[in-house]
Amino acid sequence: MATDTALPDISLDDADAGIIAQLRADGRAPYRGMAKELGLTEATVRSRIKRLEESNVLRVVAVTDIDAAGYGLLLSIGVQVDGRSPEDVARDLAALPAVFSVNVVVGAQDIEVLVCARDAQDLYALTSEVLARVPGVARLTPALAVDVLKNQPDWVPFNTNTGNSFFAAGPDAGGSALDAVDRAIVLQLSHDARTSNRQIAAELGVAEGTVRTRIRRLETEGHIRLTAVTNIERFGDASLAYIFVEVSRSDRTQAVAKAMADIPELGFVGVMLGRSDVLGITMVRNTEHLADFIHRRISAIDGVRRTDSTLGVNFIKHDYRMARIVA
């Protein structure tokens, strides 16, 4: 798989879009099956996937559910900075394994981070003893995701640090549904989900049947999703926008969240506890596009009282290998 982040001039046609859609649904879809579905030759599908990967447009990876990895809590945290540049603080935050997304933003916050924690005790230690003590961090404003209705990380930044994340955990990581062999297999798939079972087995020194059985089990139980992600830089001047929604009445929270989840442009929708009632994440071209999207699509939802938002300007880290997988 290509690691060069340069973006050569490459135009995507309907055949490319069809291949990407097939791989998003099943990252290990057979070449022959995709060719039949799309009306292409198998050789064409193979060459197109290779071109998309080598042009840094597409990666086919394993996305691991944070609960399966032993992290029961998912938080969005706004960070206000004092005495240092937000970029410098963001780089320090990005070095922490529990922090899997760091984005310098404009708005009421200086940085938006996504973090995971194993339990309440782990969360308290992370926020009060780790994040709060990073030089330059003045204030943390957290929101705990209590129900994730939608999480489709189809467009992600390739030119960022992905970090070690849970892959650095030892074989006895508490609360994880993945044992040492599972994590070793997932680590291989996180680099290229189309790596053959035979190749993974040879790399790990286990039987090919073991690899095949474990991958099937991990997918069936919802612990991993093998899918294609595409480079957000291919979206032009796109930036990630975080939209925090306050509802008019608490009994309207779920209805508002469901209405937001039906909006195709929103890649993430979660019911939150703390900073907002609902969080939506989307891609926009600029502040004008964000304002128009909020006014036309979010504020028009029955039960939305007010919104707040931040707009990403510099992704420092995003580990797209981890997510709350939603069926």
Side-chain angles (χ1 to χ4, degrees):
M1 179 167 295
T3 57
D4 183 10
T5 56
L7 294 178
D9 186 18
I10 176 174
S11 58
L12 306 182
D13 59 18
D14 290 343
D16 292 322
I19 290 170
I20 291 171
Q22 292 277 317
L23 291 173
R24 280 182 174 159
D26 179 4
R28 283 193 148 198
Y31 293 112
R32 182 175 299 179
M34 285 191 285
K36 182 178 180 180
E37 183 73 23
L38 299 172
L40 304 170
T41 67
E42 185 176 342
T44 297
V45 172
R46 286 179 179 272
S47 64
R48 292 261 184 159
I49 292 175
K50 182 179 180 181
R51 178 176 63 97
L52 291 169
E53 290 184 325
E54 291 179 345
S55 301
N56 214 30
V57 173
L58 172 79
R59 292 177 183 172
V60 186
V61 300
V63 177
T64 303
D65 184 71
I66 62 170
D67 286 301
Y71 296 94
L73 302 177
L74 171 66
L75 288 94
S76 166
I77 303 179
V79 181
Q80 294 178 352
V81 173
D82 184 34
R84 295 181 72 197
S85 74
E87 285 76 12
D88 288 342
V89 175
R91 278 187 281 271
D92 286 349
L93 292 170
L96 303 171
V99 178
F100 64 92
S101 183
V102 182
N103 199 354
V104 178
V105 299
V106 293
Q109 309 295 325
D110 298 304
I111 304 170
E112 294 285 356
V113 301
L114 297 177
V115 307
C116 50
R118 298 190 183 280
D119 51 33
Q121 183 177 0
D122 185 35
L123 173 61
Y124 178 77
L126 175 65
T127 53
S128 64
E129 299 175 14
V130 180
L131 300 181
R133 296 184 182 182
V134 171
V137 170
R139 180 173 174 79
L140 302 173
T141 306
L144 174 66
V146 295
D147 184 17
V148 176
L149 284 75
K150 184 179 184 180
N151 191 13
Q152 298 174 340
D154 295 335
W155 292 87
V156 298
F158 285 4
N159 191 22
T160 66
N161 168 33
T162 55
N164 289 324
S165 184
F166 81 91
F167 295 107
D172 298 319
S176 175
L178 312 179
D179 64 19
V181 175
D182 289 333
R183 285 201 303 278
I185 292 171
V186 171
L187 180 57
Q188 295 286 320
L189 295 173
S190 73
H191 297 304
D192 184 355
R194 297 185 71 81
T195 303
S196 70
N197 294 339
R198 179 178 299 178
Q199 184 176 342
I200 295 173
E203 183 72 24
L204 302 181
V206 298
E208 184 179 348
T210 297
V211 174
R212 182 183 303 109
T213 300
R214 287 191 178 236
I215 292 175
R216 186 183 302 119
R217 174 180 57 81
L218 291 169
E219 286 191 282
T220 301
E221 295 178 356
H223 296 333
I224 65 171
R225 182 172 64 210
L226 305 179
T227 187
V229 293
T230 38
N231 194 344
I232 194 173
E233 293 182 41
R234 287 292 175 185
F235 198 70
D237 296 326
S239 297
L240 213 62
Y242 305 78
I243 303 172
F244 301 90
V245 175
E246 179 183 325
V247 300
S248 56
R249 293 174 50 91
S250 294
D251 60 6
R252 293 290 302 161
T253 301
Q254 198 68 25
V256 169
K258 288 180 178 179
M260 289 175 61
D262 288 336
I263 299 175
E265 295 89 341
L266 287 171
F268 175 93
V269 177
V271 175
M272 312 299 286
L273 183 63
R275 182 177 174 185
S276 67
D277 297 311
V278 186
L279 169 62
I281 301 178
T282 188
M283 286 193 306
V284 296
R285 294 185 299 274
N286 48 44
T287 54
E288 291 78 12
H289 184 200
L290 174 59
D292 181 69
F293 178 77
I294 291 175
H295 293 154
R296 289 191 305 106
R297 308 300 298 279
I298 305 299
S299 298
I301 296 173
D302 182 34
V304 171
R305 181 175 181 270
R306 64 182 297 274
T307 64
D308 191 13
S309 62
T310 56
L311 183 63
V313 295
N314 185 10
F315 249 125
I316 303 297
K317 177 183 181 180
H318 187 73
D319 191 348
Y320 47 79
R321 303 170 302 176
M322 292 190 69
R324 176 69 59 77
I325 293 179
V326 180

